[in-house]
Structure formats: structure tokens, C-alpha cells
Amino acid sequence: MPTSKERIWEVIEIEEFTYFFSQLVNGLKLGSVYAMVAIGYSMVYGILRLINFAHGDIMTVGVYTILVLSTAFGMPLWATVIISVIIAVCVGLTAERVAYRPLRTAGEETTLISSLAVSIFLQNLMVMIFSPQRKAFHLPDSLSYLHSFGTVKLSTMNIITFIAVFLILLILSYIIKNTRIGMAMRACSDNMNASRLMGINITTVIVTAFAIGSGLAALSGLMLAGEYKTIDPLMGFVPGLKAFCAAVLGGIGSLSGAVLGGFVLGIAEMLFAGLMPTEITPYRDAFVFILLIVVLLIRPNGILGTKDGGRS
Amino acid sequence: MPELLTVNGLEKNFKGLKAVNGFSAKLSENQIYGLIGTNGAGKTTVINMLSGVLKPSAGSVFFRGIEITGERPDKIAKLGILRTYQNLRLFKKVSVLQNVMIGAQIDKSYSNIEAILGMTRFRQEERKLEEKALNMLELMGIEDYAKERADSLPYGAQRKLEIARILAASPKLLLLDEPAAGLNPQESLELVQRLKKIREEFELAILLIEHDMKVVMSLCEYIYAMAAGQIIAEGEPKVIREDPKVIEAYLGRAKKDA
Amino acid sequence: MRLRDSDLFKLIIFVLLPLAVIVLCGRNSSNYYAGLINLFGINIILVASLNLVNGFSGMFSMGHAAFMAIGAYASAMLTLSAEQKMIAMPGLPEWLISLNLPFPLALLLGGTLAAATALLIGFPVLRFKGHYLSVATIGLIVIVRAVLDNEDQLTNGARGVTGLPDYASTWVIFSTAILCLFILYRLIKSAYGRGLAAMRDDDTAAQTLGIHLTVKKISAFCISAFMAGVAGGLWGHMQSVISAKFFYIDTSFKIVETSIIGGMSSLSGAVVGSFLMTFLPEFLAPLENGATFFGVRLPELYGASNLIIAVLLILIIIFRRQGIMGYSEIILESIFSRRTYSSLLKKSEYINLCIIFKNKAVGLIHLPAEVTGRLSKKFGTDHNKREEIRK
Amino acid sequence: ACGGGEKEPAEETINIGALYNLTGGQASLDQPSYNGFKLAADQINANGGINGKLINVVSYDGKTEQTTVANNTKKMIDVDKCVVVAGLSDSNYALAAGNICQEKGIPFITSGATLPTLPDQVGDFAFLAPFGDNVQAYAAADYAFDDLGLKKCYLLTDQSMEFTKTLAHFFEERYTANGGEIVLKDNYMNKDPDFSAQIDRFIANKGGAEIIFISGVPDDAGVVVKQLRDKGVTLPIISGDGFDTPLLIEIAGDAANDTYVGTHASLDNQDPLMQDFIAAYKEAYGVAPENAFAGLGYDTMYLIADALSRASDPADPAAIRDAIAATEGLKGVTGTVTYENGSHVPTKSVTINKVEDGKFVFMKEVFLK
Amino acid sequence: MLEIQDLSVKYDTIRVIHGVSMNIKKGELVSLIGANGAGKSTILKAISGLIKAETGSICFLGKEITKLPSHGIVSGGIVQVPEGRQIFTRMTIEENLKLGAYLQRNKKVIAQNFERAITLFPILKERLRQLAGTLSGGEQQMLAIGRALLSNPKLLLLDEPSMGLSPLMTQQVFDTLKILKQEGITMLLVEQNAYDALEISDRTYILETGSIVMEGKSSDLIEDANVKRAYLGGD
Ligand SMILES: Nc1ncnc2c1ncn2[C@@H]1O[C@H](COP(=O)(O)OP(=O)(O)OP(=O)(O)O)[C@@H](O)[C@H]1O
Ligand SMILES: Nc1ncnc2c1ncn2[C@@H]1O[C@H](COP(=O)(O)OP(=O)(O)OP(=O)(O)O)[C@@H](O)[C@H]1O
Ligand SMILES: [Mg+2]
Ligand SMILES: [Mg+2]
């Protein structure tokens, strides 16, 4: 028969487990948002090898569209989401047409600048239109309603996000693996010139990728804003950077890699913040990057990445 | 006679595929060797291993008595084993002349400090490097392109540039991977002449992969024939030409041209 | 002969004119114009050193700001007075608190510490290629910032360090910038630089030509970091205030931007890019704060200059993909070649220049054939082929 | 404004530099402050200026970049001949600008940075318009301990900023000196989207905290409160002026109730000065003052105007500095400014507001000795 | 079938093709030979729309295609086996072959062509799942030819198809070209292996530094002393 002291330890152990568990759930929650952003990011990145720093800003455009439509016109959420996806796609395609297409045959570094410029442009435009002030962003009660699972609480939106990530991953993977356009996408990411010789309209392919990427950006914006509850014109930058990291961590060009990368980042952040002594938790971001570097040392092409096929 | 290069039972596996399965050879100084074989026989893989680009799965390589199995490529190059690539690997964004100078600088002796300070030794040696590079370009007959960017050259000239580049690097042994691919018969003939001259002038050995039988037969003194990762025949050209295994797997009717 | 081939003309445009401006503006280092010029000088160091890694060696680092930060903090630790250090950095060891070094030495040590950091992280990180390396170097910035923000005892945390003595005068900055450019230029034009280019264009081929990749990569990374560290030190002693947030990702991106705009594989590009990115925003600033133009008062439109710069960046990149200078070095060639300076002493150069200007002025009137013929013979435009190639 | 082709003859106007980060990360604090500053200048000019001279506000966008801020400071002084430079809400930038002003012998007043040691670090030309962090932190600590009688506190700090770290430091100092106990200290980084890790740690801590002090900025105010409440933490929350933002209520809604904010002013202060300011601001910019920084900018301009009108020579920066230092009992919307005993940090009262039913409600004005 | 008129092509500022005119009739096998750098590949690239013509026109089946994007040209039936193979290195052999049939919707035809490609090059069949980038040089060349066969071309442009192939394999490729010709596929063949090219082609154009210097029936040219000296290697 356990002494009372032993029983206390038992209790603490259980509590420690639930504590760890709830932090893990926190990580999954954050990770699913990152994954959501990363998946859209990876659509474009995988094909064009374009670090699209404007991705986060397209996300911001989407979110502001939702906000304006719902506050100024009182539209229901589903309608605003549809319109915001459409607008994000338009912005993405315009950026593609104006800033990326003329540079299609240029190097990766060149397009990088162009995407940074688009990002600066969108950010400042948003600042000028909407003021730099943060604004509150509310989801309808049905989506922000909290469900309790034991000690863990999750909102409807959290659950939707989690499911959406995998659903979208599944759909996109299917498209890329099994459809004509998907095949064309992979071909383009491999060798643009040869793709043209196969009769692939690479413009169509790239435009499609941008459209999907931008549309997903708007959706992920909704999820991010829903979680954070505030929005501001510069909100896209950090998630964009994180998505880039996630995509690289998972392996360039791999959608499931991007999702995995997103989750790894989210969980690592949360577990570090939740489990480490508070003296070192300010090193959270540093830790995430150290982790990233360590992972890359072990797998230089990312977790799910494959080595490029070139040989001597 | 001391061997230049001794290869014993070299093997390479790629995830279950035995690309090279026991390659052994002995190369002497100042000789030209041919390495022929079916497509995918493992010829390029052999050269990759000799030059250090790939690590052998088994076997050993000795160069002038020194073991170089699995050594770093730059060390092997410094010993004097230099190679070209089947799929051309030029330094595309720099000029033709600089491509060759990069080869030539393998044994430069000035330090970076001397370079920064612009000391006499630096300037003299730079001039020598340039001289050497220009000579090599002339030797390969592409001196007219010296100032062009390497990637704007026609294919054949790019092939020659690859050879000029390694010639500048004071080679003892050249490993040439299909140097005549993309050259027309006339140019191939020219290449044969050039290679002969080069061998005389530099006193080096050459191991040559080539599918153009005219080139192989008129140049090589000894030939290794490979198929499916293994040597199926070796010997002097006329022996190889008549070898039924080689004819069946590799030459086909072409034997008559050779 | 065209105007831009005239050595004397190059001398005037690329050496004498800038020198005059620097001298004029740099007399009072705390002056606004001097401030801009100083910034220009520091940007040159930053961008040129980044080009060594990104343009000439084909790695793609985005972590330059981290090395700046290290250089800035380290040099500050050496130039601040003991009292200042007691307040801001009480965690420093005793000997370091009392240590006070001359500025150049502090700069060098700051650069050395940055280079040491580069060496340390270079071994693991430089094995990555392309974007993997980019992410890792962004990570370096984040890590450095985290340390600077949280090691309150050594860095004064997020508060930053103030009161750095303003040693970084225009003279110091520009001598350093020119020295850096000179060193980089000589390196690039030697076997070392060609080796880097080889590595950039094809690392496998470079290796089989006897180039030791690791040594090359790490050395380039360290040299670059060293110079960034020095630039950071200069920057700190120019602003007299440093704080981790000034050396963050946005700063780094800006350096990368400038580098690409000017031309990553050209040191002259670093100069041109820095010039553009330093002065363009200043030039556009009046547009935003409701200036009066021809009696019309424009509305205040903060952010407009950023929009314009963004558009310009895209345009430049579209029309000059390799950056403004591409792969060419005309500016530095003019600055660092003896020929340029000897042109000052040659009478023929003046005559040449006069003729060119006269031609321009008169329009497209051609000199009589015999004159041009004589001139070109006399001034030796008729080089033999090898000389031509050499140039 | 300034820039090209300014037509007014020089002796008619006094150029005053308004140095703000109008774009970039700092814009959300600096823009309202700048608006308030301009509003005051317009009002002063409309009333005939200062001793017959009009004020010309010179402003450039600092872009939240240290170098741009520094350059603009120099530009204002060297090119535009400003006699006073004011602005900035973040002390890192304020230090950079202040040092330059000090070197050039031009008075510098930060309208929003609350680092109490700033004048000491910079020199005799630097002034704070708001109270120092120590004051607001002490006031919050006293209020929590004495007025609310809550003796155990959980301290959550934004670790990425000098301001929040200083605030937390002073709070802890005072609260423990009063006899209170900090049961758990934790931290986050500015703009972290998610506080669940910290909140879960707090819940697991069970240290018996009675109140939560959050040292944060407006960006995070609503989110952290909302997430705390969502996780079932109902303890009262107290914070400094960083939480004085409508976002707190907009985002957290009812969850914001029972949050105390120690700040510069109370918008529901019925003082006509305040109400006039709010009305004028609304009229000029179409929105209510976004946060307390608007009022601070507004007061800073009046502080300058007051000093200029008293200065022996309004064209001589040193005279202006002396006049500012002699400011006494100047009433503004964010309190009454007096620079006492040669200090360049004003003694101002701290207003404690509490969120009740979605509104900031005035609780108490705390005067510290 | 294909009419090239007065075609000029520039790279940046340097003109490398100077007013070339050529024509190919239906069912013909025409070869184009010339020294290194003469501009053979450039002409093929221009036909496929990979680079834009500076002046001149290219008509295919009576329709002008000069301004069409390359995918438009390919869907019109002009398929190229490019220089340097241009295979998809990170995709499997099977996927490479399937991409050859990208524009082909008829499953039966695809299956038929697939069958032909892998019978011609049995090694491809063994390695269907291998990444194409890891193939040997010659194997890649086979893949490139095989891929083109899958696209059911009306006009097949071949840029040095024998490069890197063993003698035996070269013969097989040329044999296949003969079969294709019998099936009525029109072809334009660029070859360094000039002797073989002349032997199997109907007509030949000889290109020198961007201009056509000679054209005629292959059987005539093969006897021509100048041609022999310049392109066939002596005697
Ligand atoms: N990295 C690799 N991964 C998998 N298989 C490989 C790899 N490299 C080569 N192989 C295989 O090894 C075999 C030998 O290739 P190698 O390039 O050596 O042939 P080769 O004799 O040079 O042929 P060719 O004459 O066509 O150039 C080929 O079947 C090739 O597919
Ligand atoms: N991308 C390029 N940029 C500039 N010049 C080029 C480029 N590609 C080819 N050239 C030049 O165009 C000319 C024709 O090249 P092309 O490749 O068409 O020759 P080719 O006849 O196919 O030669 P080869 O037999 O070697 O393949 C050459 O002089 C070459 O230098
Ligand atoms: Mg091979
Ligand atoms: Mg060709």
C-alpha cells in the first residue's frame, strides 16, 4: 500500500503528463496554422524555386478583405471568405504577371528581390489604406466556440484548421501525383525548357500554382487571424518566413514536407516555451532555428526531401 | 616498369544496382588507353571513382604507389589525375580564358597576401598562368573564343575547352569522358591528332572513354571493354575489334568502320 | 575612341568627383549630408563583403546583419569607458571592463570576433546549398538577436548600448571602405577569386581541378563576416546607439537587396547599389510629407516612397537581371588601376578628352580620317591580339 | 511640413521637428502621436501662433529604421533649422535621436518613450514628456497591493522590448518592497501569436496568485487577456500604459473585464480639456484617438509651445532648453507637467482605469512621492 | 510541310543565323550538317519556338508558327529531341515517357507508342522506376528519343540523337529512324555523324556560320569532294 507521500508523487506524475500533453496540443494547434501557411507557400516555391516573400502579404490582403466585407457590408463569413480568396488570387496573379513572369528565366536570387519588392509594396499599400493600427478580428461565435476535451480546450476553428491541413494536403498531393496539370507542375519544377518541348504551357502551369497558392494564403490568413484575433498590415511577414522555414525543413518541393515542417516548428516552439525553465524560454526562436539547423545537418535535403537527381 | 595507376577490383553499388562490379586495370606512363562499353556499362562511374567524385564501394586505387582510394577529389587532382565530364561542366559565367586559368592555378605558389599587396611574384605568376592558359587554348584551337563567356560557345568548342582546362592543370593522367561526342568526323580526326601531340608534348597517360570507334582505334594502344559493370575483354585494338563478345554487345556492324 | 574609354574621364568621374564630394561633405561628420555619405560608405563595405559570399562564391547568405551586430557589440565593449561599461555591461569580466582600446584596434577585434563566429557556424552550415543555407543564415540572425536581447549582463539586453564615442568619421569610414574594396578587388582578381567563381559555377568540376571546397567556402565566409563586423563597428560608432533590433532580418534583407540591385557578382555593383539605396529614399522623402511643388501642396502620404522604391526595384531587376553592373568592374578598375592615375600625367589624354568633348559638342561631326587615323596610331588603340585578350 | 520650395519667410515661422516612425513596426504607436502633435500645432497656429510666430512642423518618416531616424534628426536640424525636435515612442530610437540633438545642442523631447534614465544617458538637452516607467510601474504595484489588497502576483513580461522589461523590473521591485510576492515569472516575445504555453504553465503552477501583472504593448494586449480568460483564468489583470488601447476591449470583449490599466489619461475623464481634444481629434482624423500616445503627442506640442513663449530667445536652443526645464504645472490631457529639482522626467500622476462592461472606467489618480 | 524563309536569329546582340531558308516536304528525312557552332541547334530551337526569330518566317502545314509559343508548336505536331537530352532528372523514367505523351489523349496510341519505345530501348523497361537523372549518358539519350516517340510527332526534329550512344545502339537508332520514315513521319536530323546522316536522309542542307552553303540530294553530296573533305573526315 503506497504511503501518502508516494501517492502525491503519483499525482504529480500524472499531472506532468497531462501538462506535457496540453503543451503538445498547443504545439499542434500552432503547428497546424504554420502548416496551413506553408502548404500554400510550398505550391509556388516547389515549382518555381521562388522564395515568395509576398506570400504572407497576400495572406494579409485576404484577411483585410474579410474584415472589410464583414464589418462594412455585414456579409456572412462564408461569403467573405469566397470573395477574399478571389481577391487574393487576383493579387497573386497580378504579382506573377508583373513581377515574376518577366523574370522567369532569371536566377533564384533575382526573383527573390522581386518578391521582396512585391512584399514591400503590398505592406505599404496596406498601411496607407488601412492605417498601421492593429485591428480586432472576430470569428463568428460558432467558430470560436471552445470545446473541452478533458483539460484541453480547442475552438471549432482549431479543429477545422487541423482537418483542413490534411484535407488540402491530400487533395493537392492527389492533384500533383495523378492529374495532367500536376504532372505538368512537376515537370516544370524539374526542367522548364524540356517542359515546353513536351507541349506543356508553362504559363498556365505557373499561373495555376500561383492561383492555388494565393487562394490558400487567404484561407490560412483567416485561420491565423482567427487564432490571433488581431490583424495588422505587417502581420504576414513572420508567418511567411516561418512557412519558408517549414518548407525548407520539410524538404523543398515536397508538400507533405512543408506540412510536417510546419508542425515540427509549431510543436518545437510550444514545447520549448512550455517545458523549459523560464530563464531560457526567451531563446525560443533561437531554439527553433538551432533545431532547424540540426535537422538539416542530419538530413541536408530536409526531412522528406530527396536529393536532386543530377550526377557527374 | 613502375605502374602509373593500379586499379584493383573496383566496385560501386547504387541502392542495389551494381554499376561497376570488379574493375581492375594497370596503366603505365605515357600510354593511351581506351575504355569502351555498352551504354550504362559503368565507364563514367569508373572515372568518377578514379577522380574521387564518387567513393568506391570496394576495391583500391594506387597512383604511383600511393593509395588514393576514396580520397578527396581536389587531392587527387593535385596529384595529377584530371578529368573531363560527359555532360560538360564548365564554369559558365566566366570567360574561356579564366576557365583555363582556373585549371592552371592548381600549382600557383603565391599567397593571398601577396595577391592583395600586388607583389611582384603575384604579378609574374599571374602572367605565367595567363600565358599557360593561352597556350592551352591555342593547343586546342579555341584561342579565338578566349574572351567569350564559356556558356556561349558552341558545343564542340565547349568540349575542347574542357580538355584545355585540365591540360593547364599539369596532368600526369587524363581521364577523358567521350571527348569526341558532338564533333563531326573531321573534327574528331583533328582531336585525335591533337591528343597524340599532347601525349608527346606533356608525356602523360590518357584513359579515354569513347563511342567513336575511329577515334578509339586510331588513338588507343590498349583497350578495356566493359558491359554491365564488368570488363568483358581487354587488349590491343585489333584484339578487341575481333573479340566476339565485344562485337555482340557493343560494336555490332560498326566493326567494319573501325 | 568613346568617352567612357578615356582613362582621364574615368579618373574624373570615378575618383576625383566622388573624392571632392566626400571631402566637402565630410568636414563635419555629424552633419546631415555627412551622415548620408557615411552611411553610403558603410553600405559599400557591407554589400561588397556580402557579394564575396553571394555573388562570387555562389552561396546565398542572408545573415549579414548578425555579423554586423557582433562587430558592433564587440567593438563597443572595447571603446566604451569603464564607467559606461559598469552600467551597461556589468557582466563583463574585470579586465574587459577596464580595457579600452584605440578605435582601429577595436574595429579589427570586432571583425575578428565576427569572423570567428562565421568559422564556428560555417563548418556545419556551409555544407548546405541554396535555400537551405539561406534559412540557416537567417537562423543565425535570430540566434544572435536572442543572445543580445537576453544576456542583459553583457549586452544591456533589449535596452541596447548608448553613448558609443563617435569615432566613425567620414575619413575613417571611407578609408575602411576603400581598403575593403581594394582587398576584395585584389582577391577577386587573383587565383583565389577565380577559384570562388569556379566553385560558384560548378562545384564538382572545381573540386576535380584541385580546389578545396570547404577551405574556399569557409575562408570566403569568414572574410565576408570580418568585413561585416568591421562595418557593424563603424555603424555603431557612427550612430552611437546600438541595439539588437537594428541588426535584424529586415536590415539583412536590405543588404541582400542592395547587393542584387547593384549586381551580386561585381564589387562596382556594390558601390552603385549602395549609392542608389542610400540616396534614393532621401530623394523621394519630400514626396511623402506634403511638400509644395510649384505652389501645389501635396497631401501627406507616408509610405509612398517605399511604394515607389518597390516599383523601381522590380523595374531595375526586370531590365537588368544581373543587377545594374552585371559582372563588370569598370568603376573599380578605374579606381584601382595604375593606368588611370598615370593618365593624369599624359598630355595625350587631355588632347583625347578634348577631342571627344569637341565631337560631342559639335554633334556628330567626324574628324577628318587622317586625323583620327593619326590619333589612334599615336595613342595605340592598335593592340595586338594577346594584349586585347588580357585587358 | 517641409521639403522643397517652402514659401513662408523664415522669421515668421518656428520650425519644430516631429520625428516619428510613420511606417514599419513602430507606426501603430507613432502615427497617433504624430497626429496629436500636428493637431496641437494647428490649434496653436489657428490661435495666432507663439508670440505672433507660426509653428511649422517638420516631419519625416523614420520608417522604423535606426539609420533613417538618425538621418532625419540631422536633416531637421541641419537642413530645416528646427529649434526643437520631438517625437518617438520607443526608447531605442529616442536614444539615437536624442544623442544627435544633444551633440548639436538642440532640445529633444520624447513624446512617448518612458525610459526614466533617458535624460541621464543623453544629456541636458533631452526631456521626457510622459512619466517614467518607474512611476507607472510603482503606481500599478501600489494599486495592486494597497488598493486591491492582492499580495501574490504572476508576472508575465514581453521579453523582446526594453520598455516592457524595464516596466516589469520596476513593478517587481516595488511590489516585493511593499511586501507582495511574485509567485511565477514568465515571458513571451512581441507578436507571439499564441500564449497557451505560458498560460498552461501558469495554471499548472498553482502558486496561489491573486493578480496578474502583464508587462506588454498594445499589439498583444487583447490577445493575451482573451487567451487567459479562454483557459479559465479569471484573476484580475493589471498592466501599464501598453494596455491602454481600445484593442484590449475590442479583441477580448467581456473577457477584458477586471483588467486594470495604469496610464497617462482617461478618455472618459470629463475634464473639458480632454473632451475638447477628443472632439478635435475626431474631426481632424475621423477617428477617436487610437491610444494614449495621441494625447502624449498633443501635450508635447503644447509643452514646446509653452516653453517657446517663455523662452528669453525663441531662436536660441539653449534658451528653449532652459524654458522647458522650468515648466511648471502645465496642464495637459495626459496630466500636469512639472520638471522638478532639475529632473528632465516630469512628475505626473498615473491614472488607473479599469475595464468594466466593455469600457475603461476611471478608478483612481495615483500621485507618487 | 515545313517552310523556313529568310530566318535570322540573335542571341542578345550577336546574330548567329543569317537569313536561312529551308523546306521539308511531307515524308521526307532531311539532314542538316555543319561544323561546331554553325547554328544547327539554334535553327531547331527557333523552329520549336524556344528562341524567337529576329526576322523571317516559319510555316508548318501552311500555317505560320513563327510567333506561336512552344507549347502551341508542339501541339501542332513538331517534336524535338533536344541537344543535351533535357530529360526530367528528378522524375522517374516512366514519368519522363508519360510526359512525352502529354498532349496525347488517346490511351491506345499512348500504349502503342510506349510499347515501341521500350522495345527499342529495353534498358528503359528494366528501369522504369529509376530517377532519370541517375541514368548513364547514353541511357539518357535513349530516354530522350523514347520520350519523343511517345508524342506521336508529325515532324520530328532530332538534334544529334546518336551522341553518347554505343556503335551498336547508334545503328539501332538509325534503323528506327528508317522505320519511322516508312511510317510517314517527317524528320529533320542534325548529326555530327555526317556519314550516317547522309546515308539515311533524302536531302541535306549544309550550314556554315549561320548560312546555308549547300543543299542537295544526300546521295549526291556524299560523293562531293568538298563535302567529303570538310565533313566526312578526309579522303
Ligand atoms: N547515382 C546513381 N544512382 C543510381 N544509378 C546510377 C547512378 N549513377 C549511375 N547509375 C547507373 O549506373 C550505371 C552505369 O552508369 P555509367 O554512367 O557509369 O555508364 P556509362 O558506361 O558511362 O554509360 P554511357 O556510355 O551511356 O555514358 C547506369 O545503369 C546508371 O543508370
Ligand atoms: N545562349 C547563347 N548565348 C550566346 N550565344 C550562343 C548561345 N548559344 C549558342 N550561341 C552561339 O550561337 C552559335 C550557334 O550555336 P549552335 O549551338 O546553334 O551551334 P551548333 O551548330 O548546334 O553547334 P554544335 O555542333 O556544337 O552543337 C555559336 O557560335 C554559339 O557560340
Ligand atoms: Mg558515361
Ligand atoms: Mg548543336
Side-chain angles (χ1 to χ4, degrees), chain D residues 83-106:
Chain D
V83 289
V84 181
V85 174
L88 296 173
S89 310
D90 178 279
S91 56
N92 289 125
Y93 298 97
L95 279 168
N99 277 327
I100 293 168
C101 292
Q102 177 71 29
E103 189 185 326
K104 291 173 180 277
I106 298 286

Side-chain angles (χ1 to χ4, degrees), chain B residues 53 72-74 77-78 82 85 89 91-94 101-102 105-106 110 112 115-118 126-127 129-131 135 138 147 165, chain C residues 182-183 186-187 189-192 194-195 197-198 200-202 204-212 327 338 385-390:
Chain B
V53 172
R72 271 206 330 266
D74 53 296
K78 287 206 163 120
L82 287 134
Y85 292 86
R89 284 176 172 271
F91 306 130
K92 293 191 172 127
K93 291 177 192 160
V94 300
M101 282 175 78
I102 291 165
Q105 72 197 30
I106 197 164
Y110 66 79
N112 290 332
I116 292 168
L117 297 178
E126 277 289 286
R127 228 181 153 77
L129 286 183
E130 211 175 72
E131 207 69 38
N135 287 339
E138 261 163 31
K147 282 176 81 175
R165 186 171 73 179
Chain C
F182 182 76
I183 292 173
R186 277 290 171 80
L187 278 177
K189 294 283 166 184
S190 74
Y192 182 78
R194 283 192 300 270
R200 168 192 71 196
D201 287 357
D202 195 319
T204 309
Q207 257 190 312
T208 55
L209 283 171
I211 290 167
H212 193 319
Y327 288 82
R338 292 176 196 191
K385 199 159 107 202
R386 278 212 170 179
E387 280 308 317
E388 187 79 321
I389 291 165
R390 272 208 183 100

Side-chain angles (χ1 to χ4, degrees), chain C residues 7-9 11-12 15-16 338-350:
Chain C
D7 288 329
L8 192 65
F9 180 70
L11 180 76
I12 293 169
V15 183
L16 299 182
R338 292 176 196 191
R339 237 186 34 197
T340 313
Y341 296 94
S342 62
S343 70
L344 206 55
L345 303 173
K346 280 195 212 136
K347 205 166 136 203
S348 55
E349 290 282 347
Y350 293 95

